[in-house]
Amino acid sequence: MRVYYENTVYAEISLNQRTQFPVISLYSNYYLYGSDRNKAYDALNDIRPNSWNAGVSLRWSLFEGFKYNSEAARLHFELDRLREEYALAQREFDAQTQTKLQHLERLSMLTKNDTEALQETRKKIIMTQRLRVQGEADAVSEVTVKLEGLERELTLESETIQHAYEAEALKLQHRGVEECTPR
């Protein structure tokens, strides 16, 4: 997008500079004065050689009250503004990308840790069930351990979904940039 706008502004600057140059024009005219409603061929015979005109004109504006200087300055300021807007957008894009990457990395670490914790909780559930069968643990402790396991599974599933969401958002962000960038 930036390249398109810069090229447009460069074209405007170039046009502005070209308007300051002298303009040479060629022209020609032909005047048909003969007319006769009844005899069209007689009208063509009435045409005289002085009906043809040709010429060259030169137009050069010597001074127009600094019009060109102010317009050129405005166009250069607009070009600088576009460059600054592009740089700002690029910094914002890079910051968003960096934030998303850090968030993805953090979610990956949390998913890894929660997967390990879920494995430990599953072992704890099996152990609590054995103790319950032997009569050394009560039903409340068994239900508490199972609840803990369900909570860990829910947390792990939530983090997996969040990770997939963030990864897809990052892909869409980069795909949008690729589609909007002129080649």
Side-chain angles (χ1 to χ4, degrees):
M1 204 55 128
R2 171 184 161 226
V3 174
Y4 172 75
Y5 286 124
E6 276 192 19
N7 288 341
T8 304
V9 173
Y10 282 133
E12 284 187 45
I13 290 171
S14 176
L15 283 172
N16 183 44
Q17 289 174 343
R18 281 188 249 148
T19 59
Q20 299 176 38
F21 298 142
V23 177
I24 298 174
S25 304
L26 299 174
Y27 65 91
S28 65
N29 297 331
Y30 175 71
Y31 300 106
L32 178 63
Y33 289 118
S35 65
D36 189 344
R37 288 184 176 185
N38 300 326
K39 299 177 186 174
Y41 290 108
D42 288 342
L44 290 176
N45 290 334
D46 291 342
I47 296 173
R48 287 179 234 115
N50 63 355
S51 295
W52 293 94
N53 288 327
V56 175
S57 71
L58 173 68
R59 185 180 65 85
W60 188 6
S61 299
L62 296 176
F63 181 72
E64 290 194 22
F66 304 109
K67 171 185 162 187
Y68 298 111
N69 293 341
S70 64
E71 183 65 16
R74 184 191 68 78
L75 290 172
H76 284 288
F77 285 135
E78 186 172 339
L79 182 62
D80 291 341
R81 181 185 60 80
L82 287 172
R83 286 181 178 152
E84 288 297 320
E85 284 180 6
Y86 178 79
L88 177 64
Q90 185 68 37
R91 286 191 302 270
E92 287 175 357
F93 176 80
D94 291 343
Q96 287 175 354
T97 301
Q98 189 65 28
T99 302
K100 286 184 190 245
L101 287 172
Q102 289 172 351
H103 193 64
L104 279 171
E105 185 177 322
R106 188 178 66 79
L107 284 171
S108 294
M109 294 286 287
L110 285 174
T111 302
K112 180 183 172 191
N113 292 342
D114 282 344
T115 303
E116 292 172 1
L118 181 62
Q119 294 300 326
E120 291 298 320
T121 303
R122 286 182 180 157
K123 290 178 186 176
K124 192 174 175 183
I125 290 171
I126 292 170
M127 185 175 34
T128 306
Q129 286 174 344
R130 284 183 193 157
L131 289 174
R132 173 95 167 115
V133 169
Q134 293 174 358
E136 296 181 18
D138 58 349
V140 174
S141 60
E142 183 181 2
V143 170
T144 304
V145 172
K146 286 182 180 180
L147 180 63
E148 181 183 337
L150 289 174
E151 287 174 349
R152 291 197 188 264
E153 285 180 13
L154 181 63
T155 303
L156 181 62
E157 189 65 29
S158 174
E159 288 170 357
T160 304
I161 291 170
Q162 185 68 25
H163 187 276
Y165 170 79
E166 291 293 333
E168 195 60 34
L170 189 62
K171 285 179 191 175
L172 285 173
Q173 180 180 355
H174 283 284
R175 190 176 85 199
V177 168
E178 290 172 6
E179 288 176 0
C180 292
T181 304
R183 289 169 177 81

